[in-house]
Amino acid sequence: MARILYLTQIDIDHGAVRLLPEECQRIGLRRPLVVTDAGVRAAGVLQHALHALRDLPHAVFDGTPSNPTEAAVRAALEVLRRERCDGLVAVGGGSSIDLAKGLAIAATHDGPLKTYATIEGGSPKITDRVLPLIAVPTTAGTGSEVARGAIVIVDDGRKLGFHSWHLMPRAALLDPDLTLGLPPGLTAATGMDAIAHCLETFMAPAVNPPADGIALDGLARGWGHIERATRDGADREARWNMMSASMQGAMAFQKGLGCVHSLSHSLGGVNPRLHHGTLNAVFLPAVVRFNAGAASIRHEQRLQRLAHAMGLPGCDAAGNEVAGAITEMNARLGLPAGLAAMGVTPDLFERVIDGAMADHCHKTNPRLASRDDYRAMLEASM
């Protein structure tokens, strides 16, 4: 049996942030806490959201780190309680939105955050008591604004996933204009994150034809516009399509992801300074080649369908054309050529493999990877 659930209210348009006050009213937020980060504030992007709120009382927490942590959730919780806020508006990239989801749990559920982590069996413990959340993404990458999950580094150092339909934002306001000032490097890295979601969820073996169609369309949009958006940050058409690709990747990845994310989640926990989207871009070629041997990939011609969405003439049984095109795209975007260029050394491999084997994305890959398989993928990604 295939259970298919979609999703939340989404508005995507230039200037969509202006809808923020009416969405707060619809959901019943009378005093939201705006969760963001210092970079979004410094870039002037936060001010667009605060201006849209007009005279609606609110407070701001701008201490989101690049990889959200349980410590940052506690810091935000102090502000939430001190200011007596009744809900959340996340303005930022995936980190701010994921931190807000962690806060939505912590504010209404007892115990340490790890209690509610997916791999700890915590998903059923997340109830409808979570704080309501509106998401306003300022990057086109994670798609967390339309996802039921969040990734947070908990106090013991693990980078864990939290998944519940109760964590789905009540509204997602996708305003491509908020991404116009995003620097080229961050545009490329977050854009490849979106492309990775579309690619990897399409390869996942779960049965969800609507998700497959959404992923392929998102991949075509992302692949066709990422270079334009990176080269010219003011290209509004490219920015719109990248934001749509990001949203579509997350709409689709309820199917599950796979080894790309198992590895990037784990390595990102070992070294939180590494950018998640960049790691996904670097791991993709090796994982595509590994997945080429999966029965579902061969039987359903999934590599050939990916190649078509990417505008490639085709793909051989080993996945070389798709994997090679990703490597070439990374180079054209100016992303690191491999893990070594990011400062990763082989002495970290065993810790990364430990985390990957335990990650919630491990079992939804089309081929179940062994420790040796993960080691080979790490070596191929150096």
Side-chain angles (χ1 to χ4, degrees):
M1 178 183 293
R3 175 171 293 168
I4 301 169
L5 301 173
Y6 282 100
L7 251 190
T8 190
Q9 180 170 304
I10 303 164
D11 287 282
I12 177 169
D13 194 15
H14 298 284
V17 71
R18 69 182 182 275
L19 301 175
L20 195 48
E22 66 183 68
E23 288 307 302
C24 287
Q25 182 179 22
R26 180 178 68 85
I27 293 166
L29 300 189
R30 294 181 299 276
R31 187 177 179 85
L33 177 66
V34 179
V35 177
T36 188
D37 64 58
V40 170
R41 181 190 281 276
V45 177
L46 174 63
Q47 191 55 40
H48 292 288
L50 299 184
H51 178 73
L53 285 172
R54 298 195 290 271
D55 57 354
L56 182 70
H58 62 273
V60 176
F61 174 79
D62 65 359
T64 303
S66 57
N67 284 280
T69 63
E70 188 170 359
V73 169
R74 284 195 296 272
L77 182 58
E78 290 182 11
V79 178
L80 178 97
R81 288 174 171 166
R82 184 180 69 240
E83 300 292 336
R84 299 181 181 180
C85 297
D86 60 358
L88 305 168
V89 173
V91 180
S95 295
S96 293
I97 300 172
D98 281 7
L99 185 100
K101 291 178 181 178
L103 176 57
I105 299 170
T108 53
H109 294 67
D110 295 329
L113 207 53
K114 68 179 181 181
T115 306
Y116 305 96
T118 302
I119 65 169
E120 299 285 346
S123 292
K125 301 175 185 177
I126 301 173
T127 72
D128 61 3
R129 291 186 296 111
V130 299
L131 288 182
L133 167 64
I134 297 172
V136 184
T138 62
T139 64
T142 70
S144 189
E145 69 275 4
V146 295
R148 72 191 190 282
I151 304 295
V152 179
I153 299 174
V154 298
D155 285 340
D156 64 16
R158 290 180 295 165
K159 194 171 187 178
L160 300 184
F162 299 79
H163 297 84
S164 168
W165 289 108
H166 299 305
L167 293 178
M168 180 71 68
R170 303 285 185 88
L173 299 180
L174 279 63
D175 186 344
D177 290 351
L178 299 182
T179 70
L180 293 177
L182 207 63
L186 196 54
T187 297
T190 56
M192 284 304 298
D193 190 17
I195 286 169
H197 292 157
C198 294
L199 279 158
E200 192 165 35
T201 197
F202 183 73
M203 289 187 286
V207 176
N208 191 328
D212 285 344
I214 291 168
L216 286 177
D217 183 80
L219 174 59
R221 291 180 187 276
W223 193 261
H225 290 88
I226 188 169
E227 289 184 89
R228 282 175 52 183
T230 301
R231 183 174 60 251
D232 178 8
D235 186 330
R236 298 177 84 229
E237 180 184 17
R239 291 294 191 181
W240 192 100
N241 278 280
M242 290 309 301
M243 185 152 273
S244 184
S246 175
M247 174 261 292
Q248 290 174 254
M251 287 178 74
F253 69 41
Q254 61 169 283
K255 270 187 69 184
L257 292 165
C259 291
V260 170
H261 280 75
S262 297
L263 287 165
S264 60
H265 287 158
S266 181
L267 183 49
V270 171
N271 184 349
R273 293 187 300 275
L274 298 175
H275 188 271
H276 174 72
T278 305
L279 288 174
N280 284 346
V282 169
F283 283 131
L284 263 172
V287 175
V288 166
R289 290 187 170 100
F290 174 71
N291 285 346
S296 61
I297 296 289
R298 295 195 303 270
H299 177 68
E300 298 171 16
Q301 296 187 313
R302 290 195 172 255
L303 291 176
Q304 289 75 17
R305 294 160 73 186
L306 287 174
H308 178 75
M310 295 163 69
L312 304 175
C315 188
D316 65 14
N320 287 314
E321 282 79 8
V322 169
I326 295 166
T327 299
E328 292 170 4
M329 177 66 82
N330 289 342
R332 292 198 302 274
L333 295 173
L335 294 173
L339 297 175
M342 301 173 71
V344 177
T345 53
D347 60 290
L348 299 178
F349 283 5
E350 295 309 310
R351 290 174 60 194
V352 174
I353 294 167
D354 288 342
M357 294 289 291
D359 189 76
H360 62 275
C361 295
H362 168 65
K363 292 184 179 180
T364 53
N365 198 68
R367 287 180 67 189
L368 194 61
S370 67
R371 294 187 68 89
D372 287 342
D373 291 328
Y374 275 126
R375 192 173 295 106
M377 285 183 262
L378 284 162
E379 290 171 352
S381 302
M382 286 296 286

